C-alpha cells in the first residue's frame, strides 16, 4: 500500500511539473489561439457543416444513424466526465495552490473546482472517432483519410488548449482523450452494426 501511494504521489508530482512546463509555453498570439480552440461555441458551425456533409455523402437514414451515434458519444462523455469529476475530487490547476503559486498561466475563469478528467478532450476525441468511423460505415466508397487528418489534429488541439488556459492537468487531458476514443469507437461500432443489419431497408 505504501509503495502504491508513493507511486501515485510521484505520478501526480510529475503531472504537475509537466503541466506547468506546457502551460508556460505561451505568447500573446498563442493565448488567442488556445482560447479559440477551447471555446466550444466557436465550433458549432463546424459541427453543422459535418452534419450536412453526412446527409450529402450517404442515404439519409444512414446519416441519421451516424449522427445519433455522435450525439450519444457526446452525451456519454459529458455524463461520465461529470460523474468521475465528483468522485475523484481532483482540483483543476487553476484551483490548486501549488500550481498557482508556481506561475500557472490562466486564461479562463476558474469555473467548477474539479477537473479530472477533461470533458473537452473526451468530447473532441469521441466526436472525431465516431464521426470518422461513421462516415466510413455509411459510405464505403471512400476511405475518408482526409477527414481523419482533419478531425484528430483538431481534437488534439482542443484537448491541449485546456492545459494552456489553465483548466486541466496533462493527465486530465490524456485520460479524457482515451475515454473519448473508447466511447466514440463503441458508438461507431453500434452505428455500423445497425447500418449493416438493416442495409436492405436503408
Amino acid at each position: 500500500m505504501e509503495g502504491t501511494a508513493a507511486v501515485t504521489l510521484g505520478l501526480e508530482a510529475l503531472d504537475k511539473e509537466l503541466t506547468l512546463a506546457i502551460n508556460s509555453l505561451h505568447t500573446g498570439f498563442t493565448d488567442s489561439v488556445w482560447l479559440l480552440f477551447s471555446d466550444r461555441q466557436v465550433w458549432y458551425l463546424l459541427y453543422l457543416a459535418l452534419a450536412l456533409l453526412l446527409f450529402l455523402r450517404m442515404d439519409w437514414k444512414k446519416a441519421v444513424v451516424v449522427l445519433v451515434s455522435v450525439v450519444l458519444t457526446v452525451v456519454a462523455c459529458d455524463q461520465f466526465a461529470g460523474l468521475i469529476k465528483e468522485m475523484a475530487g481532483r482540483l483543476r490547476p487553476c484551483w490548486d495552490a501549488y500550481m498557482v503559486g508556481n506561475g500557472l498561466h490562466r486564461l479562463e475563469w476558474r469555473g467548477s473546482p474539479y477537473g479530472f478528467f477533461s470533458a473537452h478532450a473526451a468530447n473532441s476525441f469521441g466526436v472525431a472517432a465516431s464521426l470518422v468511423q461513421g462516415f466510413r460505415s455509411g459510405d464505403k466508397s471512400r476511405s475518408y483519410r482526409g477527414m481523419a487528418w482533419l478531425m484528430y489534429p483538431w481534437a488534439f488541439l482542443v484537448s491541449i488548449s485546456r492545459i494552456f488556459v489553465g483548466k486541466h492537468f496533462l493527465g486530465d487531458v490524456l485520460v479524457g482523450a482515451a475515454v473519448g476514443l473508447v466511447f466514440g469507437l463503441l458508438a461507431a461500432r453500434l452505428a455500423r452494426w445497425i447500418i449493416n443489419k438493416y442495409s436492405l431497408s436503408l
Side-chain angles (χ1 to χ4, degrees):
M1 292 295 291
E2 291 182 1
T4 301
V7 170
T8 301
L9 289 173
L11 288 175
E12 185 174 357
L14 178 62
D15 194 13
K16 288 185 175 183
E17 296 308 318
L18 289 175
T19 299
L20 283 171
I22 295 170
N23 176 266
S24 69
L25 303 174
H26 63 86
T27 65
F29 171 74
T30 57
D31 284 352
S32 300
V33 172
W34 297 126
L35 281 171
L36 176 69
F37 275 98
S38 199
D39 186 353
R40 289 181 176 179
Q41 295 182 0
V42 170
W43 301 106
Y44 288 164
L45 285 178
L46 173 64
Y47 303 148
L48 178 60
L50 290 170
L52 291 175
L53 185 61
L54 275 174
F55 288 89
L56 290 173
R57 291 295 192 187
M58 63 189 74
D59 178 274
W60 72 269
K61 292 180 182 179
K62 292 181 181 180
V64 168
V65 172
V66 173
L67 189 58
V68 169
S69 74
V70 175
V71 172
L72 287 175
T73 299
V74 172
V75 172
C77 288
D78 269 339
Q79 294 300 310
F80 190 52
L83 175 65
I84 297 301
K85 283 176 183 177
E86 292 300 320
M87 291 177 60
R90 188 188 190 192
L91 293 176
R92 296 179 184 273
C94 54
W95 283 86
D96 188 298
Y98 174 84
M99 299 295 289
V100 174
N102 281 273
L104 180 75
H105 184 61
R106 293 172 287 177
L107 296 175
E108 288 186 359
W109 177 245
R110 292 197 299 174
S112 59
Y114 303 130
F116 181 82
F117 54 88
S118 169
H120 272 73
N123 282 329
S124 58
F125 273 95
V127 167
S130 58
L131 198 57
V132 170
Q133 295 303 316
F135 269 103
R136 289 172 176 170
S137 297
D139 179 15
K140 296 181 180 179
S141 66
R142 297 176 174 87
S143 67
Y144 287 98
R145 290 180 182 176
M147 178 163 291
W149 280 104
L150 168 68
M151 295 303 297
Y152 285 110
W154 166 81
F156 170 78
L157 291 171
V158 169
S159 300
I160 201 171
S161 74
R162 305 304 289 164
I163 299 174
F164 284 101
V165 300
K167 296 296 284 289
H168 284 289
F169 290 98
L170 174 61
D172 301 341
V173 169
L174 293 177
V175 172
V179 169
L181 285 172
V182 170
F183 279 127
L185 292 174
L186 287 175
R189 178 167 292 188
L190 176 61
R192 182 175 61 188
W193 178 81
I194 292 172
I195 288 172
N196 290 339
K197 182 174 177 64
Y198 298 102
S199 59
L200 294 179
S201 61
L202 288 170

